[in-house]
Amino acid sequence: MIKRLLMGLGLFAILLSWQARAELVIEITGGSEAALPIAVVPFGYEGFVPQEDISAIVKNDLERSGRFAPLPQKDLISTPHEKREINFKDWRLLRSEGLLVGKVSSLDGQTYEVQFQLFDVYKAQQLVGRRYKVPAASLRSVAHKIADQVYQALTGEKGVFSTRLAFVSVLKKTDGTRHYALQISDSDGAKPRTVLQSKQAILSPNWSPEGERLSYVSFEKGKAEIFIQEMRSGQRTSLASFKGLNSAPSWSPDGRKLAMTLSKSGNPEIYVMDIATRTLTRVTHSSQAIDTEAVWMPNGSELVFTSDRGGRPQIYKVSATGGRAERLTFEGRYNASPDISPDGRYLTMVHGFNGKFYIAVQDLESGAVNVLTERGKDESPSFAPNGHLILYATEQNGKGILAAVSVDGSFHQRLGETGIDVREPAWSPIRQ
Amino acid sequence: MKLVKLSSVAFALVWLSGCNTLGLNSDDGLMDGEDGVVVEDRGVSAEGLDGDGINGTAIGDGAETQVIVGEDGYTGTDLDDPTNALSNRVVYFEYDSSAVREQDQLTLEAHAAYLADNPTARVRLEGHTDQRGSREYNLALGERRALAIRQILMIQGASANQFQLISFGEERPQSEGDGEVNWQNNRRVELVYTGR
């Protein structure tokens, strides 16, 4: 047992070192003018000082949401940690409506008490406040929860800082072989952990609606097959390994079905599989065209997918039980990789013209198309679960990196990584 | 041996992660005080380490061509003859197209004739695309290219049971980097003989 444990620890250390190197670093590359000013006062400490700087994590979360512009620390007129230390009259001199204060205390360095209070400076009222008692390992999670509550209190929308990202990292060895890792990180790119490693390609991770399972495509058996994997136990199941392609899995909003692309008929077609019974329903019947990349409309009864039935790849919509497909995109010669905003209003896609590929958003009500990116090597767009940001893959200096843009195109950020190619991002849902 | 070692490591990892897993968090029943901070929220979860590290198995590239040249010139089979059209095992495509080009017709005729003459011969058609655009669409496009080659070979006498089709989409480029030269190299179907 001890031997096994040591061996486990050895590999654990190797994984940790790969992960430490793989940490995503966030860089905001374009600000939003509509961002709300907010004062985030560095939290006070009593007893042991934790490794995680909670107020800094909260501040970074709020800033990279694109909705907030935290005031520079030098502008903060004092450093209160609770209400009785706040002189609201002074704070009203700053433009900021929101004031976040808090403190962290620990008697033993193992368990921490964290409390925060968010105030409306003009009304001198608390908007939200909580105290948490957590082990040291959960301090980052607490920081993200605080950021979620601040976000919700001031914008009226749910924060997504406690969600996670899934993505694929590719390490190219000097002998030319590639090592693929399916990784999960916090929404800020921190704490990446590997949930699957393979010498063959891994593609198209997709979260289940409750955020506890991933479906993805793995080439581990030599060709594209679909797997699902439980995040907590690591247990994985081969779901589709039919002759031909098994790819582009997408979970239905009720979590019971998976839309997928199968070419067992001799041509790539969209199918819906009932996960419990493995029963397949064929959705498309275009014997010559490519039909792939189906995603669900939030109503759970329609699918949006890519097809070249009109000669070039464009986005279509069809009932999940089959029938006549309706074409949604008409601008540009190449539209692929659709994703739908949680409210069903917006379609994001890879939009190609003049040999370049951008992330675009189409308002499904008005039909207006807005191209959001400029570099032209962008792919795999995925909506944040609150619909405000779109996460996508792009390239910088020949390396794959992740980036995000606000739906209105005003706010840009890069999640750069050092040395390792990252691609195929998928933003998890908000866990209930 | 390697496999055994890996699985026990995977087990140890799962075991370790199990130990680290904390209870799930919940905000249930918590309320915000009007003024002071009154609510305690215990056990915010850090989710445990997820999953184990399963390593995929590599598949070989199949039959490599071995060129055998004797003193008096070539003595092997047609398939091994470097001067035979059969030695050409890669067919290239235009952007977003699976149409076979004029210049590849002779190559494909030779392969079709070989397959027709050698019913036990088996070939794997590996479809590839360049790295631009959607990975999933490219996976389907790679398959369509492989299907296009199979169709031509079958029209010219090869049998359906002689083929295995795989698409790698853009995942296995022949040339890295940008530019039409690299992209052209990557838009291809490779014919890999797995039986003669």
Side-chain angles (χ1 to χ4, degrees), chain A residues 110-170:
Chain A
Q110 316 226 325
T111 305
Y112 286 85
E113 260 190 43
V114 181
Q115 75 166 48
F116 79 93
Q117 291 170 280
L118 175 70
F119 293 97
D120 179 321
V121 171
Y122 299 105
K123 294 181 184 152
Q125 265 180 8
Q126 178 175 311
L127 298 172
V128 59
R130 280 204 184 164
R131 181 184 298 138
Y132 300 91
K133 199 164 195 172
V134 295
S138 296
L139 286 168
R140 278 199 89 86
S141 304
V142 167
H144 293 316
K145 285 177 77 76
I146 293 171
D148 281 337
Q149 291 169 77
V150 171
Y151 187 95
Q152 183 153 15
L154 293 175
T155 68
E157 292 170 25
K158 283 196 163 163
V160 294
F161 308 111
S162 298
T163 57
R164 297 183 288 178
L165 311 180
F167 51 91
V168 175
S169 296
V170 188

Side-chain angles (χ1 to χ4, degrees), chain A residues 365-423:
Chain A
E365 283 172 22
S366 70
V369 176
N370 190 6
V371 179
L372 305 178
T373 60
E374 291 174 353
R375 295 171 55 79
K377 299 174 81 173
D378 311 321
E379 59 186 47
S380 306
S382 156
F383 272 104
N386 64 0
H388 184 65
L389 290 176
I390 295 167
L391 181 67
Y392 63 97
T394 185
E395 229 184 84
Q396 190 177 32
N397 305 323
K399 285 248 149 39
I401 62 164
L402 307 185
V405 60
S406 58
V407 172
D408 65 6
S410 68
F411 178 74
H412 293 262
Q413 61 181 304
R414 280 198 291 266
L415 292 80
E417 233 190 291
T418 47
I420 296 175
D421 265 300
V422 285
R423 54 170 74 156

Side-chain angles (χ1 to χ4, degrees), chain A residues 58-365:
Chain A
V58 174
K59 188 176 156 193
N60 289 340
D61 276 354
L62 295 172
E63 187 166 22
R64 75 189 164 76
S65 74
R67 303 289 294 272
F68 292 94
L71 300 179
Q73 199 163 327
K74 64 174 170 56
D75 291 358
L76 304 179
I77 48 180
S78 59
T79 51
H81 302 310
E82 54 190 291
K83 189 182 181 191
R84 61 180 170 81
E85 297 170 0
I86 301 172
N87 182 338
F88 286 102
K89 252 187 237 158
D90 290 351
W91 285 95
R92 280 176 201 138
L93 299 172
L94 299 175
R95 295 174 298 134
S96 162
E97 180 184 315
L99 168 63
L100 178 69
V101 301
K103 55 187 179 181
V104 181
S105 62
S106 177
L107 295 176
D108 56 8
Q110 316 226 325
T111 305
Y112 286 85
E113 260 190 43
V114 181
Q115 75 166 48
F116 79 93
Q117 291 170 280
L118 175 70
F119 293 97
D120 179 321
V121 171
Y122 299 105
K123 294 181 184 152
Q125 265 180 8
Q126 178 175 311
L127 298 172
V128 59
R130 280 204 184 164
R131 181 184 298 138
Y132 300 91
K133 199 164 195 172
V134 295
S138 296
L139 286 168
R140 278 199 89 86
S141 304
V142 167
H144 293 316
K145 285 177 77 76
I146 293 171
D148 281 337
Q149 291 169 77
V150 171
Y151 187 95
Q152 183 153 15
L154 293 175
T155 68
E157 292 170 25
K158 283 196 163 163
V160 294
F161 308 111
S162 298
T163 57
R164 297 183 288 178
L165 311 180
F167 51 91
V168 175
S169 296
V170 188
L171 194 60
K172 203 180 166 199
K173 300 279 189 176
T174 45
D175 65 2
T177 61
R178 289 179 172 81
H179 287 215
Y180 297 83
L182 178 58
Q183 297 192 296
I184 312 283
S185 76
D186 285 359
S187 70
D188 57 359
K191 293 204 301 186
R193 42 269 190 221
T194 298
V195 299
L196 181 77
Q197 284 186 69
S198 175
K199 287 183 179 170
Q200 306 299 330
I202 301 169
L203 289 183
S204 305
N206 178 266
W207 291 93
S208 63
E210 82 292 349
E212 296 293 341
R213 291 171 290 171
L214 276 179
S215 62
Y216 53 84
V217 174
S218 170
F219 275 77
E220 67 196 57
K221 291 180 187 158
K223 69 185 188 70
E225 297 186 0
I226 297 171
F227 292 80
I228 56 180
Q229 185 167 332
E230 303 265 347
M231 291 298 98
R232 245 157 235 288
S233 65
Q235 188 191 355
R236 58 203 295 269
T237 313
S238 164
L239 207 65
S241 54
F242 299 100
K243 190 179 156 196
L245 286 184
N246 303 265
S247 70
S250 171
W251 237 296
S252 65
D254 67 5
R256 293 186 188 154
K257 297 184 280 290
L258 209 61
M260 57 182 71
T261 301
L262 304 176
S263 66
K264 65 195 186 72
S265 70
N267 192 63
E269 305 283 357
I270 309 291
Y271 292 76
V272 170
M273 180 184 276
D274 182 298
I275 295 170
T277 64
R278 306 285 174 100
T279 314
L280 280 174
T281 305
R282 183 164 164 179
V283 178
T284 61
H285 296 80
S286 56
S287 58
Q288 297 299 316
I290 289 171
D291 292 333
T292 188
E293 303 187 307
V295 291
W296 296 80
M297 290 294 287
N299 62 20
S301 61
E302 291 168 309
L303 294 168
V304 168
F305 65 102
T306 306
S307 175
D308 73 342
R309 58 186 64 193
R312 293 280 167 193
Q314 295 290 348
I315 312 292
Y316 293 77
K317 185 168 83 173
V318 69
S319 161
T321 53
R324 198 181 161 79
E326 173 197 350
R327 183 165 161 182
L328 297 179
T329 53
F330 295 92
E331 266 186 50
R333 282 162 64 80
Y334 187 109
N335 289 297
S337 301
D339 194 32
I340 301 290
S341 64
D343 62 4
R345 167 111 190 235
Y346 295 100
L347 159 70
T348 182
M349 61 214 168
V350 172
H351 179 66
F353 57 91
N354 294 337
K356 296 203 167 188
F357 298 85
Y358 306 89
I359 305 302
V361 118
Q362 181 168 329
D363 183 330
L364 291 175
E365 283 172 22

